[in-house]
Amino acid sequence: MDCTELDEVEARLPDDPATLSIDELRSLRNDLQRAESGLSYVRRVLQGRLDIVADERRQRRSADGVRSRRRTDVGRRGAGG
């Protein structure tokens, strides 16, 4: 379900659901469940991407720390030798 379809479902929402017939209510419920499922999928995809970015940042920070220590160690060896 895309944004346009979600807008169409939202436009069908009455102020008082008691005014809907049982068939209309079931149809609306099904459409809303489909929208919820689609949004849940998008949320999971985005969360996965955020996890990948966070892991990449962690790895880069860790690699930068290793490089800094190596430079420091090289400097100590050169100064002491």
Side-chain angles (χ1 to χ4, degrees), residues 4-64:
T4 305
E5 291 172 311
L6 188 56
D7 289 340
E8 290 171 6
V9 171
E10 186 179 8
R12 291 177 30 216
L13 292 173
D15 291 331
D16 182 10
T19 61
L20 297 176
S21 71
I22 194 72
D23 289 335
E24 290 170 323
L25 197 55
R26 285 180 180 146
S27 174
L28 185 58
R29 180 194 61 196
N30 290 338
D31 291 344
L32 290 169
Q33 285 174 335
R34 216 176 9 263
E36 179 186 26
S37 178
L39 290 171
S40 179
Y41 172 76
V42 169
R43 184 198 60 78
R44 289 190 310 266
V45 168
L46 289 174
Q47 186 60 55
R49 289 180 181 181
L50 288 171
D51 291 345
I52 290 168
V53 168
D55 189 54
E56 180 67 22
R57 290 182 71 192
R58 246 188 322 277
Q59 288 178 4
R60 287 181 183 194
R61 263 189 261 126
S62 176
D64 287 344

Side-chain angles (χ1 to χ4, degrees), residues 3 36 40 66 68 77:
C3 290
E36 179 186 26
S40 179
V66 169
S68 294
R77 283 187 220 136

